[in-house]
Amino acid sequence: MPEKPAENCISSAVLDKLIAAHDGDVSLLWLYRQRYGALDEEQAAQALCRTLQEIRAAEEKLRRMELLPEGGAPALRQPPEPDAPEELPQYTAGEISRRSAGNSALSAVYAEAAQVMGRALSSNDLRVLFGIYDHLSLPPEVILELLHFCGELCLWKYGESRRPSARFLEREAYAWANREILTLEQAEDYIRMRRERHSDLGRIREALHLTELSPTQEKEVNGWLEQGFGEEAIAIAADRTVTNTGSLKWSYLRKILQSWHQKGLHSPAEIAEKDPARRSSAPSPQESRVQKPLTSEQWDKILDQI
């Protein structure tokens, strides 16, 4: 991988912008570009253990922050720019009321949203819901699926203590619109995929013997799944990590999986064939039981060699 010459320092202005962004992916991608220059999205995603979507989002945020390098190497290939920024219009209450009048499907969306959100809808709630329908062009039947899935997402993330907020709905709606989920069938397929991924994450968390995954760990595990690794392959990597380091060191686990991905090894069979675990040179249990204790002279020689 070609390297760029190291810079003397990072300016305080740049550091302030990166800190203010409150986004680890943005800082990581900025550092990566400073080190290696502009590579294509797939290379960046592989090197940083991120998904293509996360790389693209971080790249776009760097662009808005005016932190992309000026001149020199070209920027990473970008997806088509949306016609409008990811912010819903500021509809007035009168406009929403007038344009919603007589729309029974939209009235059903408002009623269902109140149930899912667990409260009477505020003017901002109505603005977001109407914006999802009008600005993002999601059909009412798709919005109903979105509402219930957002309730499910909140349950996964926070338990029974929280209901989806208007901002939560808006973020998920943009994700659906960007994926062009515009039919009931597409919505059902997407929800099915997300549920399967949630189950995968739960099984992997158990395989790693973790009570929960941090947001960063969850992003990385999602990236490994997208790369083609399954629960068993990740468990093998975790076992080797513990065997070689004595604990589940996340950076070591990441390097194992990154190495396998670069070699095209994703299934347990491929790993066993092309990268089998090294046999331990430690004595067998029977040998250990009959091994004589070291003498003081032997211990002195060992200590002298350290």
Side-chain angles (χ1 to χ4, degrees), residues 211-232:
T211 55
E212 63 179 353
L213 294 170
S214 70
T216 299
Q217 289 173 333
E218 185 172 324
K219 283 185 178 181
E220 289 201 88
V221 173
N222 273 315
W224 298 336
L225 291 170
E226 290 186 8
Q227 288 175 343
F229 293 107
E231 172 192 349
E232 292 183 31

Side-chain angles (χ1 to χ4, degrees), residues 180-196:
E180 298 184 351
I181 300 174
L182 301 174
T183 69
L184 189 58
E185 182 179 6
Q186 290 172 330
E188 290 172 345
D189 288 343
Y190 179 68
I191 291 172
R192 187 181 306 111
M193 180 274 290
R194 291 284 297 272
R195 285 172 177 164
E196 290 173 356

Side-chain angles (χ1 to χ4, degrees), residues 260-276:
W260 287 348
H261 182 61
Q262 291 171 345
K263 297 174 183 177
L265 309 179
H266 298 93
S267 71
E270 292 169 339
I271 294 166
E273 178 184 357
K274 301 292 181 63
D275 190 17

Side-chain angles (χ1 to χ4, degrees), residues 1 18 38 40 57 76 161 189 215 219 251 254 296-297:
M1 180 180 295
L18 292 173
D40 67 40
L76 299 180
S161 61
D189 288 343
K219 283 185 178 181
S251 59
R254 181 191 301 124
S296 59
E297 293 180 356

Side-chain angles (χ1 to χ4, degrees), residues 13-295:
V14 170
L15 288 174
D16 289 342
K17 286 186 177 182
L18 292 173
I19 292 171
H22 302 295
D23 191 327
D25 288 352
V26 167
S27 297
L28 188 61
L29 182 59
W30 186 87
L31 291 170
Y32 180 84
R33 289 182 60 113
Q34 294 303 305
R35 180 62 171 164
Y36 298 110
L39 301 179
D40 67 40
E41 294 169 336
E42 292 185 356
Q43 287 177 298
Q46 179 177 320
L48 300 178
C49 294
R50 294 295 186 270
T51 65
L52 285 175
Q53 185 177 358
E54 288 165 347
I55 290 295
R56 289 167 180 169
E59 179 84 358
E60 177 58 24
K61 194 165 184 178
L62 283 173
R63 189 179 303 281
R64 293 197 301 268
M65 294 163 63
E66 299 181 348
L67 287 182
L68 289 185
E70 296 294 334
L76 299 180
R77 177 171 52 86
Q78 294 296 314
E81 292 290 337
D83 294 332
E86 290 198 350
E87 184 175 346
L88 296 175
Q90 294 296 323
Y91 302 99
T92 66
E95 182 181 7
I96 294 172
S97 177
R98 175 175 53 81
R99 296 179 61 186
S100 300
N103 190 328
S104 59
L106 197 51
S107 297
V109 166
Y110 296 154
E112 196 65 25
Q115 292 292 323
V116 171
M117 300 172 79
R119 53 182 169 77
L121 299 182
S122 67
S123 58
N124 185 59
D125 296 334
L126 289 170
R127 181 189 68 83
V128 168
L129 291 166
F130 184 76
I132 292 171
Y133 168 76
D134 178 68
H135 184 69
L136 298 185
S137 301
L138 296 189
E141 63 272 17
V142 172
I143 299 176
L144 290 173
E145 292 292 325
L146 171 74
L147 285 169
H148 288 285
F149 183 61
C150 283
E152 195 169 344
L153 284 176
C154 272
L155 186 62
W156 294 348
K157 290 176 177 291
Y158 311 114
E160 298 283 356
S161 61
R162 287 180 60 177
R163 299 288 188 96
S165 64
R167 180 58 182 154
F168 192 98
L169 294 174
E170 184 178 353
R171 285 198 300 264
E172 189 65 21
Y174 265 105
W176 286 37
N178 291 335
R179 288 176 175 266
E180 298 184 351
I181 300 174
L182 301 174
T183 69
L184 189 58
E185 182 179 6
Q186 290 172 330
E188 290 172 345
D189 288 343
Y190 179 68
I191 291 172
R192 187 181 306 111
M193 180 274 290
R194 291 284 297 272
R195 285 172 177 164
E196 290 173 356
R197 178 58 57 84
H198 179 69
S199 297
D200 290 339
L201 288 172
R203 288 194 300 272
I204 290 170
R205 176 180 52 77
E206 292 178 0
L208 298 178
H209 304 290
L210 298 173
T211 55
E212 63 179 353
L213 294 170
S214 70
T216 299
Q217 289 173 333
E218 185 172 324
K219 283 185 178 181
E220 289 201 88
V221 173
N222 273 315
W224 298 336
L225 291 170
E226 290 186 8
Q227 288 175 343
F229 293 107
E231 172 192 349
E232 292 183 31
I234 295 174
I236 293 170
D239 181 69
R240 293 193 188 183
T241 298
V242 174
T243 299
N244 295 337
T245 69
S247 63
L248 186 63
K249 294 187 181 298
W250 199 262
S251 59
Y252 194 93
L253 172 65
R254 181 191 301 124
K255 289 179 181 178
I256 290 177
L257 291 166
Q258 184 175 346
S259 173
W260 287 348
H261 182 61
Q262 291 171 345
K263 297 174 183 177
L265 309 179
H266 298 93
S267 71
E270 292 169 339
I271 294 166
E273 178 184 357
K274 301 292 181 63
D275 190 17
R278 297 186 181 91
R279 296 187 61 182
S280 174
S281 60
S284 66
Q286 289 183 342
E287 292 172 334
S288 298
R289 284 196 293 269
V290 300
Q291 188 176 15
K292 294 181 180 180
L294 297 177
T295 65

